[in-house]
Amino acid sequence: EIDQFKEGLLKGMNLLVEIQKHSELFLPVFTSEGERPLTAEILLGLFTTKRFSTKGTSAYKKEENTYMLFRDLIDDYEANPEEAVTLEKVLSFFTGSTRIPIGGFDCEPTLSFSPEAYYPSASTCALQLVLPIQWHDDEALFREKCSLAFEHPCGFGMC
């Protein structure tokens, strides 16, 4: 397969020769070299879809408060990289990967909320993170539940 790849690059405007001549310029394209470190802004920015209830409802207010607690928690994980939970662990919790692929994910990560859940849950196939709104008014408990889930994820209900 690698020979077919090389042959294709040679036929396509002699790209292989250029890659070989200027290999340092192509490192970020073919490897993780030069990859930007994961930040809170990048992690939170992945959630272009956030599923909130109808604005003005009590559920919406709880979800909005939960989201603010989540943002603060992610900011704290970034500020304290020596802690047990890192941004990479949070990313892995809902994607199954500690890094964002070079070309991005196949689908958009989604953030949603659950009134029944006591801990965050995720679908790594669908790239969905579900936050519990049970603790929308108790920051310490919200942090405890999230940190426990992110630090010790239970895949496929195997806890």
Side-chain angles (χ1 to χ4, degrees):
E1 289 86 36
I2 193 74
D3 289 332
Q4 288 176 325
F5 181 66
K6 286 180 176 179
E7 186 179 321
L9 289 176
L10 277 170
K11 287 181 182 176
M13 302 182 312
N14 216 12
L15 190 55
L16 181 59
V17 174
E18 293 302 315
I19 291 171
Q20 289 171 333
K21 273 201 277 188
H22 307 286
S23 60
E24 71 283 350
L25 296 175
F26 287 91
L27 276 176
V29 175
F30 294 108
T31 69
S32 60
E33 181 80 20
E35 185 178 281
R36 292 185 321 181
L38 185 61
T39 64
E41 181 181 3
I42 291 170
L43 181 67
L44 292 169
L46 291 173
F47 295 109
T48 54
T49 303
K50 299 174 196 77
R51 295 198 174 121
F52 285 96
S53 296
T54 305
K55 258 189 177 177
T57 63
S58 62
Y60 178 84
K61 290 176 185 165
K62 291 175 183 177
E63 293 165 357
E64 186 177 46
N65 197 44
T66 299
Y67 180 67
M68 298 305 283
L69 291 173
F70 178 66
R71 280 188 19 198
D72 291 346
L73 182 62
I74 295 301
D75 285 340
D76 286 352
Y77 289 157
E78 179 181 38
N80 300 296
E82 69 284 347
E83 294 294 324
V85 179
T86 62
L87 295 177
E88 289 77 14
K89 282 188 179 181
V90 177
L91 180 66
S92 177
F93 183 80
F94 71 92
T95 67
S97 176
T98 57
R99 299 159 81 171
I100 299 170
I102 291 172
F105 291 106
D106 288 342
C107 60
E108 281 185 3
T110 302
L111 180 66
S112 59
F113 305 89
S114 171
E116 292 89 26
Y118 289 93
Y119 293 91
S121 62
S123 169
T124 56
C125 295
L127 302 182
Q128 182 178 26
L129 175 61
V130 181
L131 296 176
I133 62 169
Q134 298 281 343
W135 321 116
H136 71 95
D137 57 353
D138 189 336
E139 183 177 4
L141 204 47
F142 178 80
R143 286 173 172 267
E144 177 187 318
K145 301 292 184 182
C146 287
S147 294
L148 185 63
F150 297 149
E151 187 176 358
H152 304 288
C154 298
F156 301 102
M158 313 263 301
C159 287

